[in-house]
């Protein structure tokens, strides 16, 4: 890396603050897919597996985009190492804006295929953002605190996913909704999103960011795949994204089942905020848990930020306090799980995966509000999975960090395939039984947390 690595820690604050706004935006747009699924399912009268093509198109773009990036890195050398992280982020924002703009003609022509194409372009933009921004945050300071920084940035990503179900759901299902206008309700919201991406791209262009580039010889090979923690981490990312997205995609329909809660879509979206908001709570706690603060201050901050985050979710959801008491109880479990993790990224990952498995077993074999809150609370334990897997997987990669990042982003393909697989199971056996699909995902993540992440390249 170049001289910018010698900058003091205070000089990293503005770049990190700028990047957190970026994480917020792509979190918001990603979660909007959970609103689009039931909305487009109604507009086009789709089966569950057909509705899940929303996630297939969006997350499939991550695979295609990352594959193209990886092939370029083999033939000409790592592109990010050539153009720099800042330029990579700006390119990603412009592509994302284009994807949002394409929602307008998709709605105008009332074409499901056009919608899927727009989502694919949006996903390509997010691919570039993921490849550039995640490792950029990781190297923006000491390696020992990389997981803490990425948890913090991802917490703002989760803030976006928390607000999206309520605000996005209101815009699509209520404010712009018209029974006679087909798919028109998404036109204006996505044009607004496009303008926001352009504004952020302009800000990043003007803000002074450290221009990390690699001064080592740019090698044209797949050297990153020599590292066991990386190639095992690729599958862990696949499983994590697949499991998390599949659960979020089915939540509104699951809560609509009479044997669960019998909620209408306009009400169920408010509960969805607790699922994605749980990731925000856990990531703020994770950032503090993995920091170098003294234990007393660390635990106090974790409790205060968790309660503050819960207060935000509570305020925007409009649910009564008594209704959310089961969620508060599971927040306590989340806190003690962090204590058991003892600030070790792999150990915490394994513990959280085990709890997710137990919660899914409860979801499958219970009914009513018990099943509802068990599945919603999985968001609390999904929280640290992406940042912990990512930092464990790229640890020690050196000049192969960006290439490794592209491979990890490629594994977001799980978000395209796992929901469709769960859709087939749901069509055949019912939504509740279909949650066995994400359960399998968490079983592998448990293995990676406790064992796979510890495997390192042995030089001979």
């Amino acid at each position: 890396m170049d001289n910018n690595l010698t900058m003091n820690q205070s000089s990293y604050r503005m770049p990190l603050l700028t990047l957190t706004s970026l994480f917020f935006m792509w979190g918001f747009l990603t979660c909007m897919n959970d609103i689009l699924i039931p909305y487009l399912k109604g507009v086009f009268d789709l089966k569950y597996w057909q509705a899940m093509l929303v996630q297939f198109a969006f997350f499939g773009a991550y695979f295609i985009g990352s594959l193209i990036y990886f092939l370029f890195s083999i033939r000409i050398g790592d592109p990010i190492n050539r153009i720099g992280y800042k330029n990579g982020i700006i390119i990603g924002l412009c592509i994302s804006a284009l994807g949002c703009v394409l929602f307008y003609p998709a709605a105008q022509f009332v074409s499901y295929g056009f919608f899927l194409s727009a989502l694919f372009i949006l996903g390509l933009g997010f691919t570039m953002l993921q490849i550039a921004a995640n490792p950029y945050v990781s190297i923006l300071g000491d390696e020992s605190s990389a997981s803490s920084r990425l948890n913090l940035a991802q917490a703002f990503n989760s803030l976006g996913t928390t607000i999206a179900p309520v605000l996005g759901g209101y815009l699509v299902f209520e404010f712009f909704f018209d029974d006679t206008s087909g798919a028109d309700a998404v036109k204006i919201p996505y044009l607004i999103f496009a303008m926001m991406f352009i504004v952020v791209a302009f800000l990043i262009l003007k803000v002074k960011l450290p221009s990390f580039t690699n001064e080592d010889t740019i090698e044209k090979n797949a050297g990153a795949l020599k590292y066991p923690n990386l190639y095992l981490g690729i599958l862990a990312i696949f499983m994590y994204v697949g499991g998390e997205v599949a659960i979020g995609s089915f939540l509104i329909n699951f809560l609509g089942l009479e044997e669960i809660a019998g909620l209408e879509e306009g009400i169920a979206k408010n509960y969805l905020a607790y699922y994605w908001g749980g990731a925000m709570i856990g990531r703020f706690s994770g950032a503090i848990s993995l920091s170098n603060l003294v234990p007393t201050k660390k635990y106090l901050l974790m409790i205060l930020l968790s309660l503050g985050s819960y207060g935000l979710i509570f305020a925007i959801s409009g649910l009564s306090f008594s209704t959310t008491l089961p969620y508060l109880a599971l927040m306590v479990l989340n806190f003690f799980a962090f204590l058991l993790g003892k600030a070790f990224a792999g150990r915490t990952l394994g513990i959280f995966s085990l709890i997710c498995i137990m919660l899914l077993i409860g979801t499958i074999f219970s009914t009513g509000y018990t099943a509802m809150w068990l599945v919603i609370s999985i968001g609390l334990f999904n929280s640290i999975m992406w940042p912990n897997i990512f930092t464990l997987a790229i640890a020690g990669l050196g000049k192969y960090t960006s290439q490794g990042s592209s491979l990890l982003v490629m594994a977001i393909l799980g978000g395209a395939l796992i929901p469709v697989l769960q859709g087939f199971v749901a069509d055949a056996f019912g939504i509740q039984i279909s949650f066995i699909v994400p359960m399998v995902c968490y079983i592998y993540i448990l293995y990676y947390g406790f064992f796979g992440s510890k495997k390192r390249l042995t030089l001979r």
Side-chain angles (χ1 to χ4, degrees):
M1 300 292 175
D2 70 6
N3 297 352
N4 289 296
L5 284 175
T6 63
M7 296 171 66
N8 58 46
Q9 292 301 314
S10 62
S11 64
Y12 291 138
R13 289 174 187 167
M14 182 55 69
L16 191 57
L17 181 63
T18 305
L19 288 172
T20 54
S21 67
L22 179 61
F23 277 72
F24 171 85
M25 287 186 63
W26 90 52
F28 191 102
L29 266 292
T30 299
C31 195
M32 278 297 295
N33 289 354
D34 294 341
I35 301 299
L36 285 176
I37 287 169
Y39 175 70
L40 294 177
K41 185 176 186 295
V43 170
F44 295 102
D45 192 25
L46 306 171
K47 294 182 181 293
Y48 281 119
W49 75 266
Q50 292 173 318
M52 290 303 147
L53 292 178
V54 166
Q55 303 291 30
F56 182 81
F58 181 77
F59 289 101
Y62 279 89
F63 175 76
I64 299 298
S66 299
L67 178 61
I68 292 171
Y69 185 96
F70 178 68
L71 293 175
F72 265 100
S73 71
I74 292 175
R75 293 184 62 86
I76 66 170
D78 197 311
I80 292 293
N81 280 345
R82 291 179 179 275
I83 66 174
Y85 288 95
K86 178 176 178 176
N87 291 328
I89 290 170
I90 292 172
I91 291 170
L93 283 167
C94 292
I95 297 172
S96 300
L98 174 61
C100 289
V101 168
L102 290 176
F103 270 74
Y104 194 96
Q108 190 70 28
F109 292 109
V110 195
S111 168
Y112 188 49
F114 208 147
F115 273 113
L116 296 180
S117 299
L119 283 161
F120 183 82
I121 299 297
L122 180 60
L124 286 178
F126 283 10
T127 301
M128 194 63 179
L129 292 176
Q130 292 272 15
I131 292 172
N134 280 289
Y136 189 55
V137 170
S138 295
I139 63 178
L140 207 59
D142 294 334
E143 184 176 348
S144 61
S145 57
S147 287
S148 177
R149 283 192 304 280
L150 198 50
N151 266 289
L152 179 62
Q154 289 289 341
F156 284 91
N157 176 275
S158 298
L159 177 61
T161 62
T162 302
I163 296 173
V166 178
L167 177 58
Y170 170 73
L171 293 175
V172 172
F173 288 126
E174 298 176 41
F175 191 80
F176 291 108
F177 185 79
D178 184 347
D179 288 330
T180 64
S181 62
D184 283 357
V186 297
K187 283 182 176 179
I188 303 302
Y190 277 85
L191 283 180
I192 294 171
F193 300 148
M195 291 174 59
M196 291 173 65
F197 279 122
I198 295 299
V199 169
V200 174
F202 179 78
L203 289 175
I204 289 178
L205 180 65
K206 294 300 181 182
V207 171
K208 185 177 180 181
L209 297 177
S211 55
F212 294 117
T213 52
N214 204 313
E215 292 186 339
D216 295 330
T217 301
I218 298 177
E219 299 187 32
K220 303 173 184 178
N221 58 45
L225 287 174
K226 296 184 295 185
Y227 295 81
N229 57 307
L230 175 69
Y231 59 72
L232 294 173
I234 291 170
L235 183 54
I237 288 288
F238 179 94
M239 293 296 190
Y240 156 68
V241 177
E244 181 183 55
V245 171
I247 292 170
S249 299
F250 276 92
L251 263 181
I252 289 180
N253 292 116
F254 180 65
L255 300 185
L257 298 177
E258 288 300 323
E259 63 269 27
I260 303 301
L263 300 177
E264 295 180 357
E265 292 171 347
I267 302 299
K269 66 177 173 56
N270 297 326
Y271 287 83
L272 192 61
Y274 283 85
Y275 175 70
W276 292 110
M280 175 178 64
I281 292 171
R283 283 169 178 169
F284 276 129
S285 294
I288 299 167
S289 174
L290 295 169
S291 70
N292 297 321
L293 293 173
V294 295
T296 305
K297 184 180 292 186
K298 180 186 296 186
Y299 300 144
L300 179 60
L301 276 175
M302 287 172 66
I303 293 170
L304 291 176
L305 269 177
S306 294
L307 291 175
S309 299
Y310 163 78
L312 174 63
I313 302 167
F314 177 76
I316 66 175
S317 71
L319 302 181
S320 68
F321 179 74
S322 58
T323 301
T324 65
L325 284 175
Y327 190 80
L328 282 168
L330 287 157
M331 282 177 59
V332 175
L333 175 61
N334 182 253
F335 177 77
F336 282 106
F338 272 114
L339 296 186
L340 287 174
K342 294 184 177 179
F344 294 111
R347 179 173 176 171
T348 305
L349 179 64
I351 291 170
F352 277 42
S353 303
L354 178 61
I355 294 174
C356 285
I357 294 166
M358 296 168 63
L359 291 172
L360 281 168
I361 291 172
T363 299
I364 293 170
F365 292 102
S366 62
T367 57
Y369 280 81
T370 299
M372 180 185 78
W373 283 113
L374 287 176
V375 72
I376 287 173
S377 67
I378 291 173
L380 289 163
F381 302 94
N382 277 335
S383 55
I384 53 85
M385 290 189 181
W386 171 274
N388 282 24
I389 294 171
F390 200 95
T391 51
L392 287 167
I394 65 172
L397 265 62
K399 60 189 175 184
Y400 295 114
T401 297
S402 293
Q403 187 182 85
S405 176
S406 72
L407 290 167
L408 289 168
V409 174
M410 193 187 302
I412 292 176
L413 178 68
L417 300 183
I418 300 297
V420 176
L421 175 59
Q422 187 172 349
F424 279 114
V425 176
D427 285 327
F429 303 102
I431 294 179
Q432 196 161 12
I433 293 297
S434 74
F435 283 108
I436 197 169
V437 174
M439 188 191 304
V440 173
C441 297
Y442 291 112
I443 291 172
Y444 178 79
I445 299 168
L446 182 148
Y447 158 76
Y448 184 74
F450 284 129
F451 306 105
S453 61
K454 294 180 173 63
K455 297 180 182 295
R456 292 289 189 268
L457 176 65
T458 302
L459 297 176
R460 296 181 180 178

